[in-house]
Amino acid sequence: MFIAVLCTIGQVASSVLVGYGLARLSFPGRKLWFSLFVGSLMLPGFVGMIPLFNLYTSLGWYDSWLPIIVPAFFGNATFSFLYVQYLKTISVSFDEAAKIDGASDFYILMKVLVPMTTPVIMTMVIFSFQGAWNQYLEPLIYIIDPSKWTLSLAMASYKGTYATAWNLFMAADLIYILPMLLIFFFGQKFFMQGLGSVNSASLK
């Protein structure tokens, strides 16, 4: 839960900042950066696995949660793209009116746009929490100490080489999926609104 919550906060906060910059701020190369973000979605995650492993090992992060948590605070291309598309459905006149009153860009984002983009932010929260909660490959690579295992690794330990304790596995699996069911149950209204608005913006 600790890892999933921190990863969710990091990915959503950084992606909102990046998405706002790409959608609302004017700077040289903005379209190029947006194209690079969208293009990075076509690269499989396995491409950078070995360089990242060497980097985290040289930093002394091996056998810790840092290689799982820290990258979440450097943005997510998918979430940034979603936020950019959602901001296209909101008129720029709100930003201009706030700037006339002397508001800064950060104030406009936090006090004007974030409350108006709650559906897509909740969608990002659901996807981010689900991805962090179900992470298996990164913990498998970087964590050796069983006391630091995530639940996904612990679930895999129920499966033995010659036999599997299915009664224990199914009981643990039920507990494992409960947080995801709860977060989707309470956030499904925002989830459907967010995806619907992003789809309409993409069609435009």
Side-chain angles (χ1 to χ4, degrees):
M1 182 65 73
F2 176 77
I3 294 174
V5 169
L6 280 183
C7 288
T8 301
I9 293 173
Q11 284 190 341
V12 173
S14 56
S15 299
V16 165
L17 291 173
V18 172
Y20 173 74
L22 292 174
R24 289 293 208 253
L25 302 182
S26 298
F27 56 90
R30 184 179 68 171
K31 291 184 178 180
L32 175 62
W33 279 109
F34 182 71
S35 300
L36 290 175
F37 262 83
V38 176
S40 67
L41 298 176
M42 295 183 285
L43 294 176
F46 301 102
V47 172
M49 185 179 297
I50 295 177
L52 287 176
F53 180 83
N54 293 332
L55 173 63
Y56 297 147
T57 303
S58 64
L59 292 174
W61 291 0
Y62 189 66
D63 198 22
S64 72
W65 294 339
L66 292 176
I68 304 172
I69 297 174
V70 173
F73 287 83
F74 288 89
N76 182 291
T78 303
F79 295 162
S80 299
F81 174 75
L82 284 176
Y83 202 71
V84 169
Q85 294 301 110
Y86 195 90
L87 285 180
K88 289 182 179 180
T89 65
I90 299 176
S91 175
V92 186
S93 59
F94 292 101
D95 304 43
E96 296 172 346
K99 287 182 179 179
I100 292 174
D101 292 334
S104 63
D105 289 322
F106 187 75
Y107 185 90
I108 293 172
L109 172 62
M110 299 305 298
K111 299 296 184 178
V112 179
L113 294 179
V114 166
M116 299 174 67
T117 56
T118 300
V120 72
I121 291 177
M122 285 302 301
T123 302
M124 291 157 60
V125 167
I126 293 173
F127 278 129
S128 180
F129 187 88
Q130 181 186 25
W133 186 261
N134 293 326
Q135 250 187 132
Y136 180 78
L137 184 60
E138 286 80 5
L140 181 65
I141 293 174
Y142 297 113
I143 299 177
I144 303 299
D145 187 356
S147 65
K148 300 176 182 178
W149 279 359
T150 58
L151 284 179
S152 56
L153 289 180
M155 290 295 299
S157 67
Y158 279 99
K159 188 176 182 181
T161 305
Y162 302 104
T164 301
W166 290 109
N167 55 335
L168 300 177
F169 179 82
M170 296 304 293
D173 193 46
L174 177 62
I175 298 174
Y176 177 73
I177 66 174
L178 278 179
M180 282 310 309
L181 291 177
L182 291 175
I183 194 172
F184 183 78
F185 177 77
F186 289 108
Q188 60 178 333
K189 180 180 71 173
F190 298 105
F191 177 75
M192 298 308 297
Q193 290 178 1
L195 288 185
S197 299
V198 169
N199 288 335
S200 62
S202 301
L203 291 176
K204 293 179 182 179

